[in-house]
């Protein structure tokens, strides 16, 4: 049986006519940079996330960097974040000359533990970046309360969480700024790199609009330091089509997750938890298991795709050793890195494929 980790082509084929037409419209218009497709997508995302401003940019990584630049994060500042995430979250902090200050995660959700954040705050803390990992929202209320008390802005890394909810609010629309990614494998995926920042703050929005075009409002007049990070019109046109299907696709993922939960019942694995405050979008369906090596070897043998997000936490990565922490200092994260395993998850997954994956897990756990 052939199973894909993410089926981007299968999904495209189902809406091919619409997508192809949208692409051709851009090609015929010649408006490849900042065209009407970009404006339309920004307005649609702002509506979808219930935020005032949405500003397209070239990737989720850039969204994080642009957000921090707008908040003035720079040399000598500290940014509180999670060590259990994709590298981009830490990388952009370090690129701006700031220091990531890691806080351990909650064992059930894999997200930053808000109860540990206050202790990590210092006079140098310039921002807090929680990550809604795997598509499950961070417990935002306690986090926002601590941040507000100290006057520190929160940037939500919602790269994996387009459509995820926290107490009925969309992830990304809760903090000062939300950073979104439309990398092809994301729940709302472009056909290349694409990202966005969102905010309700007019001043931050204005700053971010300038930063993505070399720090200018007017051509060749550069008021602040910027970058070149625009959302491509072709990608925006594709995303305009796909956004209409996002909730339907979220529901398909949620159904697939429930099917996995059933199929894995009774096995020695911890299935993903959904806290009462959250609506999980299952960007990843990630289980925890002690016998990961034996399960992985069976999955490999049966050519079942799988992934470990993330095998080495960021505080132990060679590239960031100056901001690193010694082994054992973030124990919940380190245990998660040893135990997590993500299974195939996408909108085209069938019950038969899931049964096949579950049978392989059963075999691996029994060996
Ligand atoms: C948590 C997280 N943050 C940031 C990013 C960066 O997004 P992009 O790949 O669009 O640059 C990703 C993407 O994989 C991510 O998973």
């Amino acid at each position: 049986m052939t199973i894909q980790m993410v089926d981007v082509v299968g999904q495209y084929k189902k809406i091919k006519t619409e997508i192809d037409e949208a692409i051709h419209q851009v090609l015929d218009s010649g408006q490849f940079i900042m065209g009407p497709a970009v404006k339309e997508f920004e307005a649609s995302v702002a509506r979808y996330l219930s935020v005032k401003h949405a500003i397209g940019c070239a990737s989720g990584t850039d969204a994080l960097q642009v957000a921090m630049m707008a908040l003035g994060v720079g040399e000598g500042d500290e940014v509180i974040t999670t060590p259990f995430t994709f590298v981009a979250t830490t990388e952009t902090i370090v690129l701006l000359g700031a220091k990531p200050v890691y806080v351990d995660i909650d064992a059930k959700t894999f997200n930053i533990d808000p109860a540990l954040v206050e202790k990590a705050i210092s006079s140098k803390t310039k921002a807090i970046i929680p990550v809604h990992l795997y598509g499950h929202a961070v417990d935002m209320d306690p986090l926002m309360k601590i941040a507000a008390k100290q006057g520190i802005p929160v940037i939500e890394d919602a790269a994996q969480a387009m459509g995820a909810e926290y107490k009925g609010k969309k992830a990304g629309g809760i903090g000062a700024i939300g950073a979104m990614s439309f990398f092809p494998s994301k729940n709302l995926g472009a056909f290349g790199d694409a990202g966005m920042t969102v905010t309700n703050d007019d001043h931050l929005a204005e700053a971010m609009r300038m930063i993505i075009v070399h720090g200018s409002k007017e051509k060749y007049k550069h008021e602040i330091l910027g970058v070149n990070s625009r959302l491509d019109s072709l990608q925006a046109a594709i995303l305009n089509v796909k956004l209409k299907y996002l909730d339907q696709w979220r529901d398909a993922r949620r159904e697939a997750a429930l099917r996995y939960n059933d199929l894995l019942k009774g096995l020695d694995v911890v299935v993903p938890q959904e806290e009462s405050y959250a609506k999980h979008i299952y960007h990843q369906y990630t289980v925890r298991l002690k016998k990961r090596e034996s399960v992985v070897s069976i999955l490999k043998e049966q050519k079942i795709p799988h992934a470990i997000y993330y095998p080495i936490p960021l505080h132990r990565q060679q590239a960031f050793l100056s901001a690193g922490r010694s082994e054992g200092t973030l124990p919940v994260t380190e245990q998660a890195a040893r135990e997590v395993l993500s299974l195939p998850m996408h909108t085209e997954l069938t019950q038969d494929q899931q049964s096949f994956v579950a049978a392989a897990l059963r075999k691996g756990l029994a060996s």
Side-chain angles (χ1 to χ4, degrees):
M1 183 177 287
T2 311
I3 306 178
Q4 318 237 32
M5 192 68 185
V6 184
D7 190 3
V8 286
V9 175
Q11 194 184 62
Y12 162 58
K13 283 188 175 155
K14 287 199 171 150
I15 50 171
K16 182 175 170 15
T17 317
E18 272 184 281
I19 296 264
D20 291 359
E21 199 182 305
I23 291 173
H24 279 106
Q25 262 179 26
V26 176
L27 297 185
D28 288 336
S29 78
Q31 289 180 289
F32 302 127
I33 302 286
M34 297 296 206
V38 173
K39 276 209 172 64
E40 184 189 332
F41 184 58
E42 288 178 340
S44 303
V45 171
R47 242 187 338 268
Y48 184 80
L49 297 179
S50 301
V51 291
K52 217 165 151 189
H53 307 279
I55 299 136
C57 62
S59 68
T61 305
D62 279 4
L64 288 164
Q65 181 174 335
V66 167
M68 280 187 272
M69 287 173 78
L71 287 167
V73 173
E75 208 65 44
D77 291 331
E78 291 180 356
V79 178
I80 293 174
T81 190
T82 165
F84 198 55
T85 175
F86 182 62
V87 64
T89 328
T90 275
E91 186 179 60
T92 45
I93 296 170
V94 175
L95 271 172
L96 291 174
K99 180 182 172 214
V101 173
Y102 297 116
V103 165
D104 213 349
I105 58 169
D106 168 69
K108 278 206 282 181
T109 62
F110 303 106
N111 287 330
I112 195 167
D113 185 346
L116 305 176
V117 168
E118 196 153 19
K119 271 196 297 211
I121 294 175
S122 80
S123 57
K124 293 183 185 165
T125 309
K126 191 83 177 192
I128 302 173
I129 310 189
V131 180
H132 304 291
L133 202 72
Y134 306 146
H136 186 290
V138 172
D139 191 2
M140 289 301 289
D141 277 354
L143 189 70
M144 293 301 290
K145 205 165 147 194
I146 298 157
K149 194 169 106 188
Q150 308 274 353
I152 301 167
V154 171
I155 300 170
E156 293 173 75
D157 181 340
Q160 300 187 5
M162 180 67 179
E165 290 178 19
Y166 176 74
K167 296 186 180 174
K169 291 184 201 151
K170 289 276 182 354
I174 302 165
I177 302 176
M180 324 302 297
S181 163
F182 308 113
F183 184 80
S185 63
K186 295 292 195 281
N187 287 33
L188 179 62
F191 290 178
D193 279 309
M196 187 165 271
T197 52
V198 297
T199 184
N200 285 309
D201 184 302
D202 296 344
H203 296 292
L204 288 175
E206 190 185 20
M208 294 193 290
R209 279 222 174 275
M210 290 167 72
I211 290 168
I212 61 157
V213 283
H214 306 287
S216 66
K217 263 191 280 197
E218 237 179 85
K219 232 178 181 179
Y220 307 123
K221 191 171 163 201
H222 306 281
E223 295 173 46
I224 54 175
L225 180 66
V227 293
N228 173 11
S229 181
R230 293 170 289 226
L231 171 60
D232 193 282
S233 293
L234 278 169
Q235 301 305 342
I238 290 159
L239 290 164
N240 276 327
V241 174
K242 287 185 139 197
L243 181 59
K244 291 186 283 182
Y245 296 95
L246 184 60
D247 284 354
Q248 184 184 318
W249 290 338
R250 171 204 61 202
D251 294 344
R253 282 174 183 269
R254 287 177 60 81
E255 275 165 33
L258 288 180
R259 286 201 298 268
Y260 266 140
N261 290 352
D262 268 354
L263 287 162
L264 300 177
K265 246 180 210 146
L267 299 185
D268 198 9
V269 299
V270 182
V271 298
Q273 314 282 299
E274 183 179 53
E275 292 294 318
S276 58
Y277 56 72
K279 186 161 188 172
H280 204 323
I281 55 155
Y282 297 99
H283 171 58
Q284 298 299 340
Y285 183 91
T286 303
V287 298
R288 254 182 194 278
L289 70 184
K290 300 270 187 224
K291 291 182 74 177
R292 188 168 70 183
E293 259 177 53
S294 12
V295 168
V296 163
S297 73
I298 298 290
L299 293 176
K300 279 188 183 152
E301 199 181 288
Q302 302 197 2
K303 299 196 169 36
I304 296 174
H306 55 276
I308 294 170
Y309 304 117
Y310 297 90
I312 307 173
L314 297 177
H315 68 289
R316 302 295 303 145
Q317 291 284 357
Q318 176 85 22
F320 311 116
L321 277 189
S322 59
R325 298 259 298 263
S326 50
E327 189 124 24
T329 51
L330 294 160
V332 187
T333 294
E334 289 166 25
Q335 192 178 344
R338 286 192 295 271
E339 295 180 357
V340 289
L341 180 69
S342 297
L343 304 180
M345 170 52 82
H346 53 81
T347 53
E348 316 304 309
L349 205 58
T350 66
Q351 176 130 25
D352 282 354
Q353 291 174 325
Q354 289 186 271
S355 301
F356 189 69
V357 174
L361 248 79
R362 189 168 295 117
K363 192 171 171 199
L365 289 164
S367 63

